[in-house]
Amino acid sequence: VVVAVDSRSTMGPYIASQTVKKVIEINPYLLGTMAGGAADCSFWERELGRQCRLHELRNKERISVCAASKLLANITYSYKGYGLSMGTMITGWDKTGPHLYYVDNDGTRLEGKKF
């Protein structure tokens, strides 16, 4: 799986940085991208990584990309209206092949065939 993103971080009209790492490794088989609030994206994707590891330990198998994206969508839905600002792509490879999902701060989750 190859993921490409921009590297610019802005605060309104001000460009804060041109070298932000916007691809976050959730686990060796899952990647997430950042768009929106960097703190929200970073925190919740790291939390997703912890939840995925717990799934591995409990079930003795890796979590699927579909299940990981659903887990993140459920988390963000539970915080709907609290001011989260994030739109992330969860992508990776599991038993059924490569997958791509979009998850935003309202709990919206869309499967991508081609983006």
Side-chain angles (χ1 to χ4, degrees):
V1 176
V2 177
V3 177
V5 296
D6 69 329
S7 61
R8 184 186 300 187
S9 173
T10 60
M11 294 184 294
Y14 174 71
I15 298 173
S17 175
Q18 293 278 1
T19 58
V20 175
K21 182 181 172 194
K22 289 188 176 183
V23 177
I24 298 171
E25 183 179 314
I26 297 166
N27 70 27
Y29 299 92
L30 288 172
L31 295 173
T33 63
M34 288 191 341
D40 289 340
C41 291
S42 180
F43 177 81
W44 289 113
E45 288 184 26
R46 281 185 289 129
E47 176 61 22
L48 179 60
R50 285 188 281 276
Q51 295 293 329
C52 290
R53 180 65 179 139
L54 283 173
H55 180 275
E56 266 183 62
L57 293 170
R58 289 179 182 142
N59 301 307
K60 297 181 180 31
E61 68 176 6
R62 285 194 334 252
I63 193 167
S64 67
V65 181
C66 179
S69 67
K70 185 63 174 176
L71 187 57
L72 183 61
N74 288 342
I75 290 169
T76 57
Y77 184 79
S78 69
Y79 284 90
K80 188 175 184 175
Y82 281 75
L84 288 180
S85 173
M86 63 183 276
T88 183
M89 302 294 247
I90 304 295
T91 186
W93 188 277
D94 58 25
K95 289 187 262 185
T96 60
H99 297 281
L100 177 67
Y101 290 88
Y102 167 77
V103 179
D104 71 7
N105 50 278
D106 291 329
T108 302
R109 176 176 161 261
L110 302 171
E111 182 177 13
K113 298 295 180 197
K114 45 187 170 178
F115 277 88

